[in-house]
Amino acid sequence: MSKIKILTFAINILPLKIYNSINSFSNKRKTVITIGTFDGVHLGHQKVLSKLKISASEKNAESILLTFFPHPRMVLQQDLDIKLLNTIEEKKNLISKFGVDNLIIHPFDLDFSRLTAEEFVKNILVDQLNICKIIIGYDHRFGRNRTATITDLIAFGEEYNFDVEQITAKEIDEISISSTKIRNALLEGDIETANNFLGNPYSIDGIIVEGKKIGRTLNFPTANIKVFESYKLIPKNGAYIVSIEISDKEYFGMMNIGTNPTVSEGEQSIEVHIFDFNETIYGKNVKVNLLERIRDEKKYDSLDDLKEQLILDKKTSIEKIIKYQ
């Protein structure tokens, strides 16, 4: 067993405790808290989580990541078209890998958004969550209309006896990562940049459903994947090298995201051709990890031309997956 695997095992001895609201959290121990949407749980977020874990250990306290759902933009700006890097379930799974003690996913609504900064600090952070320290970004704003700043938070810390650790602009700039940059990279088909920022392959969770079965006629049967949540960001249409996790086993394959213009252009679909695989998996939950983008989606003159392209795609994919094994 490698050192990395041993470390991961040690971190996961104590499972992440998950709460669906602030009110459901009850703990007499002091806590160290960070707050944010943490969409993607990218390398910048991971740096914050590392600070959180170390600080909690130093203070003999429990660590808390406080996040919100729906995304505040969905509520305050009625931005129902916003696409996120993670569904809630994906976020839970990612956070569980970083040694955080508690994850609170609080329902975000208009009433919550109207809390003043002091109400939020006194009633929630101090009285409900028993805070002794907060770790927060230099540009963090909070309270009604997001009017309170890090300066206000430091003043509240002095008044209510908790420490404030500020993640400086320099630290953020050194990483130069944001969820927005990752979203834009995925929408442009730049999977390499997205994966580098995330620190792991971008993934899509879903369930296998029946498709039109046209791939079988080309000797390229595909697993058609329906994503669980409409707000999940789907990368740019095209062909990708992927790995797919099914029932705790991992396989390699190639995936097409698109409208199948050669056959009969329709709604966007996600189809994976799994290499060396011949099982019936309808209804199975799966996770697809996007490793590399091969090409754009294209309309071919005939199904024979499409099949020739798929043969080339498979050859390319098999040659490249060696580095991911």
Side-chain angles (χ1 to χ4, degrees):
M1 183 179 286
S2 70
K3 291 182 179 179
I4 293 176
K5 290 183 179 178
I6 290 171
L7 176 61
T8 303
F9 176 77
I11 285 174
N12 289 326
I13 288 175
L14 295 176
L16 174 69
K17 296 186 285 290
I18 300 172
Y19 302 87
N20 293 322
S21 78
I22 293 165
N23 295 332
S24 64
F25 180 83
S26 178
N27 192 338
K28 293 182 179 179
R29 290 184 68 189
K30 287 292 185 180
T31 63
V32 179
I33 299 172
T34 192
I35 304 171
T37 55
F38 281 75
D39 189 30
V41 195
H42 56 59
L43 291 178
H45 294 144
Q46 292 170 32
K47 186 170 184 177
V48 176
L49 296 179
S50 177
K51 286 175 176 284
L52 180 70
K53 185 182 174 190
I54 291 168
S55 289
S57 178
E58 290 172 347
K59 287 185 169 290
N60 192 28
E62 289 209 16
S63 56
I64 296 177
L65 193 167
L66 173 59
T67 191
F68 306 99
F69 191 81
H71 192 287
R73 276 174 53 187
M74 293 178 177
V75 176
L76 299 178
Q77 301 171 25
Q78 294 291 299
D79 188 357
L80 301 179
D81 292 330
I82 185 174
K83 299 297 182 183
L84 302 180
L85 300 173
N86 301 137
T87 66
I88 285 296
E89 289 304 314
E90 289 171 352
K91 186 179 294 188
K92 289 176 184 177
N93 291 333
L94 286 168
I95 295 296
S96 69
K97 298 176 182 178
F98 294 98
V100 177
D101 296 315
N102 304 281
L103 171 63
I104 301 175
I105 305 168
H106 188 75
F108 191 90
D109 56 24
L110 289 176
D111 287 341
F112 186 84
S113 74
R114 294 185 181 115
L115 288 176
T116 66
E118 185 156 17
E119 286 171 338
F120 176 72
V121 170
K122 173 67 170 63
N123 299 346
I124 293 176
L125 297 185
V126 177
D127 293 345
Q128 184 69 33
L129 302 182
N130 203 19
I131 187 175
C132 67
K133 181 176 180 178
I134 188 168
I135 300 173
I136 211 74
Y138 74 98
D139 58 350
H140 182 74
R141 304 183 76 89
F142 63 104
R144 185 183 299 164
N145 298 323
R146 300 181 74 243
T147 53
T149 66
I150 188 73
T151 303
D152 299 302
L153 189 57
I154 292 170
F156 286 131
E158 293 172 353
E159 181 178 355
Y160 294 109
N161 194 30
F162 61 85
D163 297 332
V164 177
E165 180 175 347
Q166 180 180 355
I167 301 167
T168 65
K170 183 175 183 295
E171 287 180 283
I172 298 296
D173 288 342
E174 282 175 356
I175 303 173
S176 190
I177 294 172
S178 73
S179 299
T180 300
K181 287 183 180 179
I182 296 169
R183 292 188 199 107
N184 289 339
L186 291 168
L187 292 172
E188 293 166 3
D190 187 358
I191 194 71
E192 181 179 4
T193 294
N195 287 351
N196 286 339
F197 282 172
L198 287 167
N200 51 67
Y202 185 69
S203 64
I204 298 172
D205 289 0
I207 189 169
I208 302 296
V209 296
E210 288 201 50
K212 296 178 181 178
K213 301 180 181 177
I214 294 171
R216 291 185 182 185
T217 66
L218 304 175
N219 203 29
F220 280 90
T222 59
N224 291 264
I225 298 168
K226 180 180 179 181
V227 297
F228 291 127
E229 303 289 353
S230 61
Y231 60 82
K232 171 72 176 182
L233 186 147
I234 305 303
K236 183 180 179 180
N237 287 358
Y240 294 81
I241 303 170
V242 300
S243 69
I244 182 168
E245 299 174 29
I246 310 169
S247 302
D248 297 324
K249 292 184 180 179
E250 185 177 38
Y251 307 88
F252 288 94
M254 56 189 194
M255 175 177 72
N256 186 75
I257 300 174
T259 58
N260 298 308
T262 303
V263 180
S264 59
E265 193 157 0
E267 294 182 356
Q268 185 185 61
S269 63
I270 302 172
E271 303 174 64
V272 180
H273 172 67
I274 308 170
F275 301 150
D276 304 317
F277 188 84
N278 188 26
E279 296 180 23
T280 300
I281 51 175
Y282 294 128
K284 291 271 190 181
N285 290 348
V286 297
K287 177 181 180 181
V288 183
N289 303 299
L290 282 70
L291 305 176
E292 197 168 325
R293 192 170 190 272
I294 306 172
R295 60 174 175 82
D296 288 336
E297 186 178 43
K298 180 182 174 182
K299 183 175 182 177
Y300 294 90
D301 293 333
S302 67
L303 287 179
D304 286 339
D305 289 344
L306 173 59
K307 184 175 180 178
E308 285 185 18
Q309 181 62 60
L310 293 174
I311 292 170
L312 288 175
D313 290 343
K314 185 171 183 177
K315 182 175 182 294
T316 299
S317 299
I318 290 173
E319 289 172 352
K320 288 176 175 284
I321 61 174
I322 295 172
K323 63 184 174 183
Y324 300 109
Q325 292 176 314

